[in-house]
């Protein structure tokens, strides 16, 4: 069954980072439905949110592959829309990177 | 480390390569990378540079070097076409987890994005086929970029890395304070395995009645051959290898049941459906191993041990996933498992092995017919060459015959292009293998199709005096495709028949001693000639043009229903 997933990635920013992330998404034959990207509270660390429509197996493999990228500090996903405050893993990341 | 102040970027790269222990470079010069070549020359060629005849040859040679030695292969090319010619090799190294660092020239930083001469977006082009890549446009970033590149290429699950360096960086003066990278904040290459999971894995192994261990190249990459052998001996686990895992355990080990997959051995493929437990170590359940994953391992619990967490659940959902280095996990497992024999289960393998010998191997290995069977000469080479011989193959029927019939005894003694299946890989990879291990004999076994993709590298062998014994198995066809056409396309041989040159004359003209054999009687005299040759030489072996590789798992068929011979009822 297909769902809309919100994927969040925290990564050290550099030229080519977004390309690498977008390429992993398109490699899975998925389209990015929405994308936001900005510097996080920690300088040099970018916060990327993207929304893709896919099934639960594909989203799990995608997030694992995102997390494996050298610059990526953390990647996780939720089924949209579940955006009330911060998720537990986001809070953990905030502690880790700040 | 040198404390010399303010040297050129090009000089700094040479010193950095020396600090990383690099002794050999494979490459091809050109405009944007010329300052680096000039530095090599001025340093008195302290680092050996192997000039290949095409950049693809350079990266495949670097891969061959890395695969047999475990060290990082280094490749240098210029911008634009020099760098785009690396793409096939990068994709190959990425698929087969080979540590390679490619330094590519790039146009001057102020010209980037202007469609300058020999400019190509190498960062963009190489992103999908590299573990990591970086473009360096300022000399301030050069040394850190290089040290991170080497660190990333060799650690964790190894892979190819591209460092794209703008020409101005090679010319700018910098202070040389190179430091070998010891870690990066966002990259954790060696995850600590969970001991509780290892204990549970051991419990499952102890409870199992029909276990099989599958191993892949991860065992070779983590130097875990001894641990693997100790584990299967102690727990009495029948074990089978993927194509790239071959050579980790000697072929004649009683529990080594051979190779998995489409053209693997009959027993492990068929019995995988009967197994109640699969212990998969350092392998990734490639579709050539699983066929349709939904029909694979219907009765087994699966324990998947891999250093790369993204492999868990990618193809097969394991019942127990252990993230960690193979050697480390296996060492713990050896302590926790109980001694066992599984005699009845092993006996089932023996029955199927005999079936395979009767129906396939006896005719494949026959020396009595007039025409040479590929398997027969490969087995004779295996019997007559020393056990430390490195065998490099290309891709196709001969590759599967080598995997099936060459008896590998030494870890890392087999080099082949597995995941990507790159024709043309064999010859240059053999050059790299010989340069990495000059004291071991190197055999390059190549088909007539693949040989013509990179045969210009014969000149690299001649120029570098690299002692590779090149054997071309010539059946006049793109054999593997022809086999599929015979089996699944009613023998419509579309574009698979080759009009070949006289290979012996061509190679002879390039300066290598050459010889052709074409009958089974001549096999031993041909091998005598190879063994007696001092230095590189070339043997063309004319083989049966319509030989097939069996057993075979046809596409979509469960591996347990593998064919031992042509199944006429199912053929189109």
């Amino acid at each position: 069954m297909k769902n809309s997933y919100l994927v969040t990635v925290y990564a050290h920013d550099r030229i080519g980072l977004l390309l690498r992330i977008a390429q992993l998404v398109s490699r899975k034959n998925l389209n990015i439905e929405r994308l936001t990207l900005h510097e996080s509270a920690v300088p040099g660390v970018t916060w990327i949110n993207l929304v893709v429509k896919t099934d639960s197996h594909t989203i799990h493999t995608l997030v694992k592959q995102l997390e494996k990228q050298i610059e990526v500090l953390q990647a996780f996903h939720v089924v949209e829309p579940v955006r009330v405050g911060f998720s537990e893993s986001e809070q953990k990341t905030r502690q880790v990177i700040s | 480390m040198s404390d010399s102040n303010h040297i050129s970027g090009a000089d700094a790269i040479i010193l950095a390569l020396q600090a990383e222990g690099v002794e050999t470079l494979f490459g091809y010069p050109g405009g944007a990378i010329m300052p680096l070549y000039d530095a090599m020359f001025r340093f008195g060629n302290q680092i050996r540079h192997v000039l290949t005849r095409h950049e693809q040859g350079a990266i495949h040679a670097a891969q061959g070097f890395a695969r047999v030695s475990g060290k990082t292969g280094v490749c240098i090319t210029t911008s634009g076409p020099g760098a785009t010619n690396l793409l096939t090799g990068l994709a190959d190294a990425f698929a087969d987890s080979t540590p390679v660092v490619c330094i590519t020239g790039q146009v001057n930083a102020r010209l980037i994005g202007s469609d300058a001469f020999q400019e190509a977006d190498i960062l963009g082009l190489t992103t999908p086929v590299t573990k990591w890549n970086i473009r360096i446009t300022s000399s301030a970033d050069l040394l850190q970029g290089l040290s991170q590149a080497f660190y990333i290429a060799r650690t964790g699950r190894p892979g190819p890395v591209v460092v794209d360096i703008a020409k101005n960086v090679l010319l700018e003066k910098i202070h040389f304070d190179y430091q070998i990278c010891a870690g990066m904040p966002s990259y954790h290459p060696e995850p600590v395995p969970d001991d509780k999971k290892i204990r549970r894995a051991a419990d499952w192994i102890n409870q199992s009645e029909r276990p099989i261990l599958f191993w892949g190249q991860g065992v070779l990459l983590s130097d875990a051959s001894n641990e693997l052998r100790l584990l299967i001996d102690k727990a009495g686990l029948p074990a089978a290898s993927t194509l790239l895992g071959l050579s980790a355990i000697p072929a004649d080990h009683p529990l080594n049941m051979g190779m998995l997959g489409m053209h693997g051995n009959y027993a492990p493929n068929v019995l995988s459906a009967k197994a109640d437990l699969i212990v998969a170590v350092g392998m990734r359940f490639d579709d050539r191993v699983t066929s349709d994953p939904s029909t694979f391992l219907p009765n087994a619990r699966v324990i998947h041990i891999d250093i790369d967490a993204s492999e868990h659940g990618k193809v097969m959902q394991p019942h127990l996933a252990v993230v960690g280095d193979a050697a480390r996990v296996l060492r713990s497992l050896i302590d926790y498992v109980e001694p066992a024999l599984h005699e009845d289960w092993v006996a089932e393998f023996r029955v199927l092995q005999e079936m395979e010998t009767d129906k396939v191997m006896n005719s494949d290995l026959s020396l009595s017919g007039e025409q040479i069977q590929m398997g027969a000469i490969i087995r004779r080479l295996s019997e007559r060459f020393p056990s430390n011989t490195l065998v490099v193959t290309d891709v196709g029927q001969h590759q599967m015959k080598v995997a099936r019939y060459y008896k590998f005894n030494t870890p890392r003694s087999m080099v082949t292009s597995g995941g990507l299946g790159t024709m043309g890989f064999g010859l240059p990879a053999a050059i790299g293998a010989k340069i990495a291990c000059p004291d071991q004999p190197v055999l390059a076994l190549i088909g007539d199709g693949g040989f013509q993709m990179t045969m210009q590298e014969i000149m690299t062998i001649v120029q570098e005096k690299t002692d590779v014994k090149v054997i071309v198995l010539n059946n006049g066809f793109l054999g593997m495709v022809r086999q599929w056409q015979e089996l699944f396309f009613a023998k419509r041989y579309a574009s698979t028949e080759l009009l070949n040159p006289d290979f012996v004359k061509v190679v002879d003209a390039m300066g290598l001693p050459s010889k052709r054999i074409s009958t089974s009687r001549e096999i031993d005299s041909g091998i005598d000639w190879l063994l007696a040759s001092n230095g590189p030489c070339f043997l063309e072996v004319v083989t049966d043009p319509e030989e097939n590789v069996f057993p075979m798992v046809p596409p979509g068929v469960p591996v347990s229903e593998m064919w031992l011979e042509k199944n006429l009822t199912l053929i189109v």
Side-chain angles (χ1 to χ4, degrees):
Chain A
M1 191 191 76
K2 285 200 173 183
N3 263 316
S4 226
Y5 290 95
L6 175 69
V7 180
T8 302
V9 180
Y10 285 96
H12 290 295
D13 196 21
R14 68 174 185 94
I15 290 169
L17 173 69
L18 183 60
L19 177 68
R20 197 167 267 278
I21 286 167
Q23 169 260 315
L24 284 166
V25 178
S26 60
R27 176 107 193 259
K28 295 267 176 207
N29 206 23
L30 300 176
N31 198 23
I32 297 176
E33 311 272 329
R34 271 203 318 279
L35 172 69
T36 51
L37 171 150
H38 52 84
E39 192 167 56
S40 71
V42 181
V45 174
T46 294
W47 174 26
I48 301 169
N49 270 334
L50 52 93
V51 174
V52 291
K53 278 193 185 131
T54 186
D55 57 73
S56 111
H57 174 255
T58 309
I59 196 70
H60 275 99
T61 59
L62 172 66
V63 169
K64 276 185 177 178
Q65 285 175 351
L66 287 168
E67 192 141 50
K68 162 172 143 179
Q69 301 309 308
I70 305 295
E71 285 82 6
V72 171
L73 291 153
Q74 200 169 29
F76 47 88
H77 70 278
V78 287
V79 181
E80 263 213 321
V82 199
R83 298 294 298 170
V84 185
F86 292 103
S87 70
E88 198 181 313
S89 46
E90 277 177 295
Q91 278 169 358
K92 209 168 129 199
T93 307
R94 284 160 65 86
Q95 285 162 9
V96 169
I97 62 177
S98 54
Chain B
M1 199 132 328
S2 169
D3 56 3
S4 51
N5 269 328
H6 296 95
I7 55 174
S8 74
D11 289 2
I13 293 172
I14 301 291
L15 291 176
L17 292 171
Q18 286 179 331
E20 293 287 349
V22 176
E23 290 168 356
T24 311
L25 305 169
F26 301 90
Y28 205 104
I33 200 74
M34 278 179 69
L36 184 56
Y37 275 82
D38 185 59
M40 263 183 236
F41 188 88
R42 284 185 287 97
F43 274 73
N45 296 316
Q46 289 170 23
I47 302 181
R48 177 180 182 184
H49 179 269
V50 176
L51 175 65
T52 55
R53 292 303 184 270
H54 189 286
E55 288 87 352
Q56 187 186 352
I59 185 162
H60 289 331
Q63 290 177 268
F65 178 94
R67 290 274 286 275
V68 298
S69 66
K71 296 179 193 160
T72 302
V74 184
C75 180
I76 297 188
T77 73
T78 192
S79 64
T84 58
N85 278 342
L86 295 177
L87 287 177
T88 302
L90 288 169
D92 195 278
F94 194 48
D96 287 350
S97 309
T98 310
V100 176
V101 171
C102 293
I103 296 174
T104 58
Q106 182 53 278
V107 299
N108 199 301
R110 70 187 154 75
L111 294 173
I112 286 176
S114 72
D115 299 330
F117 177 64
Q118 291 196 328
E119 186 194 357
D121 176 12
I122 295 309
L123 198 73
L125 283 162
T126 61
T127 293
V129 290
T130 49
K131 184 173 174 186
W132 191 64
N133 58 2
I134 184 168
R135 181 194 292 142
I136 296 173
T137 52
S138 156
S139 54
D141 303 328
L142 175 65
L143 298 179
Q144 193 190 32
L146 279 172
S147 65
Q148 289 180 340
F150 276 92
Y151 177 70
I152 291 166
R154 71 168 177 266
T155 50
R157 178 179 179 177
V161 171
V162 167
V163 187
D164 192 39
I165 304 176
K167 190 172 183 181
N168 55 295
V169 174
L170 301 177
L171 301 169
E172 283 163 19
K173 298 285 182 196
I174 59 168
H175 173 64
F176 186 79
D177 57 349
Y178 190 77
Q179 292 189 339
I180 291 189
C181 181
M184 293 169 73
S186 56
Y187 172 53
H188 309 289
E190 276 173 39
V192 181
D194 181 345
D195 194 60
K196 268 189 244 143
K197 287 188 172 180
I198 300 176
R199 281 180 188 274
R200 197 187 313 162
D203 287 345
W204 289 9
I205 293 171
N206 294 337
Q207 290 158 12
S208 165
E209 288 172 4
R210 296 184 305 281
I212 310 180
L213 184 141
F214 292 171
W215 87 86
Q217 195 194 198
V219 169
L220 292 167
L221 292 171
S222 80
D223 286 324
S225 298
N226 281 334
E227 287 83 352
L228 179 63
R229 201 166 157 171
L230 288 169
L231 176 69
I232 65 171
D233 284 343
K234 184 173 178 187
L237 299 173
S241 173
T242 66
L243 174 65
L244 292 192
L246 289 173
S247 86
I249 291 181
D252 287 330
H253 187 287
L255 288 169
N256 184 349
M257 299 304 174
M259 186 171 76
L260 295 164
M262 184 174 273
H263 292 294
N265 291 101
Y266 193 57
N269 271 309
V270 170
L271 292 179
S272 67
K274 228 179 142 183
D276 63 0
L277 178 72
I278 297 296
V279 186
V281 188
M283 53 93 73
R284 61 186 176 87
F285 294 99
D286 181 83
D287 58 277
R288 283 296 185 270
V289 164
T290 63
S291 198
D292 178 354
S294 66
T295 62
F296 193 53
L297 311 179
N299 297 307
R301 287 198 285 195
V302 177
I303 302 169
H304 190 187
I305 300 163
D306 203 292
I307 197 165
D308 179 357
S310 76
E311 289 299 340
H312 293 136
K314 188 184 78 178
V315 177
M316 296 285 295
Q317 196 59 53
H319 300 85
L320 180 61
V322 183
V323 183
D325 177 64
R328 196 165 162 181
V329 176
L330 290 176
R331 269 196 292 274
S332 304
L333 264 182
I334 293 165
D335 290 341
Y336 300 151
V337 295
E338 287 158 13
L341 286 172
H342 302 294
E343 278 168 325
D344 294 345
W345 177 231
V346 171
E348 290 190 43
F349 284 82
R350 302 283 177 242
V351 172
L352 297 179
Q353 280 175 335
E354 270 172 39
M355 275 174 73
E356 187 179 350
T357 306
D358 281 352
K359 291 212 166 177
V360 183
M361 291 192 184
N362 286 342
S363 59
D364 271 8
L365 300 177
S366 167
L367 293 162
S368 58
E370 177 71 7
Q371 287 179 318
I372 296 176
Q373 302 296 306
M374 281 189 238
I377 187 165
I378 288 164
R379 178 56 65 84
R380 280 305 279 159
L381 287 164
S382 164
E383 286 162 357
R384 298 201 49 198
F385 267 76
S387 68
N388 66 344
T389 302
L390 304 173
V391 180
V392 185
T393 83
D394 210 77
V395 169
Q397 284 185 315
H398 74 281
Q399 175 191 33
M400 292 298 111
K401 296 276 186 183
V402 170
R404 291 176 50 77
Y405 296 126
Y406 203 98
K407 294 196 167 185
F408 296 99
N409 285 310
T410 319
R412 290 183 181 274
S413 61
M414 195 238 196
V415 179
T416 193
S417 166
L420 199 68
T422 306
M423 283 175 71
F425 172 86
L427 185 62
I431 297 171
K434 183 66 192 181
I435 287 169
C437 301
D439 299 330
Q440 289 174 253
V442 174
L443 286 176
L445 284 145
I446 306 171
D448 48 323
F451 180 61
Q452 288 177 81
M453 286 196 175
T454 47
M455 66 189 283
Q456 70 276 14
E457 303 304 340
I458 290 285
M459 284 317 299
T460 310
I461 290 179
V462 175
Q463 183 163 3
E464 295 289 327
K465 302 183 180 63
T466 317
D467 183 4
V468 177
K469 314 289 184 207
V470 183
I471 301 164
V472 166
L473 298 168
N474 178 5
N475 57 9
F477 275 107
L478 301 173
M480 190 59 94
V481 182
R482 188 209 56 74
Q483 174 171 343
W484 280 53
Q485 288 170 335
E486 177 186 333
L487 297 179
F488 309 118
F489 294 89
K491 279 200 171 189
R492 293 187 296 276
Y493 292 164
S495 299
T496 41
E497 197 169 356
L498 291 165
L499 173 64
N500 285 328
D502 182 330
F503 289 120
V504 168
K505 272 191 186 163
V506 171
V507 176
D508 193 58
M510 290 168 136
L512 270 198
S514 308
K515 186 180 165 72
R516 176 187 296 119
I517 59 170
S518 52
T519 60
S520 293
R521 289 188 304 282
E522 298 169 282
I523 287 180
D524 271 308
S525 62
I527 297 175
D528 287 338
W529 180 77
L530 288 173
L531 285 165
S533 301
N534 270 326
C537 58
F538 175 87
L539 181 69
E540 179 190 351
V541 181
V542 180
T543 65
D544 180 352
E546 295 196 68
E547 191 181 347
N548 285 329
V549 187
F550 279 104
M552 177 178 190
V553 180
V557 172
V559 295
S560 53
E561 292 166 30
M562 186 176 211
W563 299 356
L564 273 173
E565 55 202 340
K566 209 149 88 168
N567 189 337
L568 292 167
T569 57
L570 289 169
I571 289 170
V572 185

